[in-house]
Amino acid sequence: MQKEVFLGLKAIPFLYDVSDQALYELASLAKKNTFPKHAFIFNEGDETNSLFILLSGKVRVFTCDEQGKEVTLLVQTPVSYFGELALLSQEPRSASVSTIENSCCAIIAQTDFKNWLIKQPNVAFGLIQDLAGTVRRLTDKVKQLALSNVYERTIQTLLEMSVEEDTVSVIHHRPTQQELANMVGASREMVNKIMKELTKGGYIVIQDDTLRIERRLPASW
């Protein structure tokens, strides 16, 4: 298990420059836990303070308003991490995380991480940079929800999730239409209509768990 956690930690950007010996030490502090499909890992407002490294599966990070309407902030696949704000704060969780499929996480407690960080002071700056990037991404997400229409938010989300492969933008582990609707703050029916039109126009091709953007997506619809 320690080797699996080590490889997960090695993929985290703010830990890129840490020695293998130090990463193995951090990995030894982790506890492994598995979660079934559609399980809550933690809820918004929970008083928990651990870092989670997603080793397998898929999770979504989301928040909801007083009426219970959910907005997905992020869908994460291996190897990624979440809950990092809790490493530097005693505040309750600012969002909820639930599994989309059976998932396995390595969990590192705040106290253990802080004690390890004392011996690796250079990591602190990288972590701050990482948190700043998270704040910027969430700020952009709020701007999209406030200033863009559903179509604009949908294509922006698709572009953000895609990676370039041989001059074509590809989304592996594509979200379902309901997941995409939650991410853009719209109904599944509206997103379904947009995706159908993009498919009909030859802009996107969906095959199994992959979505390919074959042509430049129209700026408006």
Side-chain angles (χ1 to χ4, degrees), residues 13-209:
F14 69 82
L15 296 177
Y16 280 167
D17 296 328
V18 178
S19 69
D20 286 356
Q21 181 179 349
L23 280 185
Y24 267 113
E25 181 184 344
L26 183 59
S28 70
L29 302 174
K31 295 180 180 179
K32 192 175 178 181
N33 202 352
T34 56
F35 301 88
K37 183 179 180 179
H38 297 154
F40 280 88
I41 295 177
F42 55 75
N43 287 288
E44 185 174 354
D46 281 356
E47 301 285 347
T48 61
N49 55 9
S50 300
L51 171 69
F52 291 75
I53 298 98
L54 183 62
L55 302 176
S56 65
K58 184 191 293 188
V59 304
R60 71 183 184 105
V61 183
F62 67 97
T63 187
C64 59
D65 61 19
E66 294 178 356
Q67 286 72 45
K69 181 180 178 181
E70 296 180 357
V71 175
T72 298
L73 304 174
L74 198 61
V75 172
Q76 295 188 229
T77 56
V79 174
S80 58
Y81 59 97
F82 52 90
E84 68 275 17
L85 286 174
L87 296 177
L88 300 177
S89 170
Q90 299 298 328
E91 296 296 319
R93 294 292 188 183
S94 58
S96 300
V97 178
S98 66
T99 58
I100 296 173
E101 55 190 49
N102 294 341
S103 302
C104 179
C105 294
I107 306 169
I108 301 176
Q110 181 195 62
T111 301
D112 290 335
F113 184 83
K114 282 186 172 180
N115 289 336
W116 177 85
L117 189 62
I118 290 172
K119 296 180 284 185
Q120 305 292 332
N122 291 337
V123 174
F125 182 69
L127 177 57
I128 291 170
Q129 286 184 310
D130 180 79
L131 293 174
T134 299
V135 171
R136 281 194 296 271
R137 288 191 295 273
L138 292 177
T139 300
D140 290 341
K141 181 78 173 181
V142 171
K143 286 181 180 178
Q144 286 179 24
L145 290 171
L147 303 176
S148 303
N149 60 39
V150 175
Y151 173 78
E152 291 170 343
R153 298 201 300 271
T154 299
I155 63 170
Q156 182 63 33
T157 300
L158 293 176
L159 291 172
E160 288 174 353
M161 295 181 69
S162 67
V163 294
E164 289 295 317
E165 293 184 359
D166 298 326
T167 71
V168 176
S169 296
V170 180
I171 299 175
H172 298 289
H173 308 293
R174 67 177 178 84
T176 65
Q177 289 187 356
Q178 185 60 64
E179 291 165 0
L180 185 57
N182 290 339
M183 294 175 76
V184 302
S187 68
R188 187 187 64 80
E189 291 75 16
M190 186 63 183
V191 169
N192 177 52
K193 188 175 182 180
I194 292 171
M195 297 299 282
K196 278 186 176 179
E197 291 297 322
L198 290 175
T199 302
K200 187 189 301 182
Y203 295 100
I204 64 173
V205 173
I206 297 174
Q207 185 175 15
D208 298 326
D209 199 30

